[in-house]
Amino acid sequence: MPFRFGAFTFDAAARELRRAGAAVALSPKAFRLLEVLIEARPNPVTRDMLYATLWPDVVVEPGNLYGLVAEVRGATETGVIRTVHRVGYAFAAIAVAEDAARFSILLGGDEIPLRSGENVIGRDPHDAVVIRAPEVSRHHARLVVSGTRVTLEDLGSKNGTYIGTHRVDGVAEVRAGDEILVGTVRMRLIAVDALAATATAG
């Protein structure tokens, strides 16, 4: 389950740290360090435990752990890691479990949930919203979900991206109920709560 602290979202399953929807670069071991500290919060994790977890069966210099702590602190630009003297380190920020996806895309008869962070629309089978249509580019557009806000950006597509009749140039905010046009393919952004209410009423 993703966790949110400040402007950041930590998603262990997706192996992502995001800030306001944008990916934050972390080395695999720095990411694992942050994961271990979040799982143990608010309790500290001893240095011995961190060495055993991050470098199992390998003897490394103390500077390696200090370097990872510095990397996480530098990437998050906030005091998320607290040094517990003579013990180890603890996650110091307040982490809140992020709710399940609040938004979906209605495409034809399909409802496609959007995850927090980036959701690419295109023909590529690895995209979050896959549209197999010749007028849709491989990576056509990007929806970014950040809390209750959703933005849409065209990714240099040939046939353009629209919100209603307005062509998207740069990053534009999308609201629940808005129609999105990708090439000639129409879809709609729907709040999950609205879908649930409709299903209950029906």
Side-chain angles (χ1 to χ4, degrees), residues 144-168:
V144 176
V145 179
S146 181
T148 59
R149 185 170 184 260
V150 182
T151 57
L152 177 65
E153 178 184 6
D154 185 83
L155 297 178
S157 68
K158 180 179 178 181
N159 294 310
T161 304
Y162 297 79
I163 300 174
T165 59
H166 300 284
R167 184 163 186 156
V168 174

Side-chain angles (χ1 to χ4, degrees), residues 2-20:
F3 287 90
R4 188 174 65 255
F5 55 96
F8 295 89
T9 300
F10 178 87
D11 190 337
R15 310 304 296 171
E16 288 182 344
L17 176 66
R18 300 185 294 271
R19 180 175 186 173

Side-chain angles (χ1 to χ4, degrees), residues 85-107:
H85 294 292
R86 300 184 181 180
V87 178
Y89 298 95
F91 186 78
I94 297 174
V96 180
E98 193 170 74
D99 295 336
R102 295 187 179 94
F103 298 95
S104 291
I105 285 292
L106 290 184
L107 177 60

Side-chain angles (χ1 to χ4, degrees), residues 99-106 111-115 145 176-177 189-200:
D99 295 336
R102 295 187 179 94
F103 298 95
S104 291
I105 285 292
L106 290 184
E111 175 198 340
I112 304 169
L114 299 178
R115 69 177 186 179
V145 179
L189 179 71
I190 299 292
V192 172
D193 288 347
L195 282 173
T198 301
T200 302

Side-chain angles (χ1 to χ4, degrees), residues 26 41 68 114 118 129 166 170 187:
L26 272 184
R41 73 191 192 288
L68 292 183
L114 299 178
E118 180 180 276
V129 181
H166 300 284
M187 62 189 73

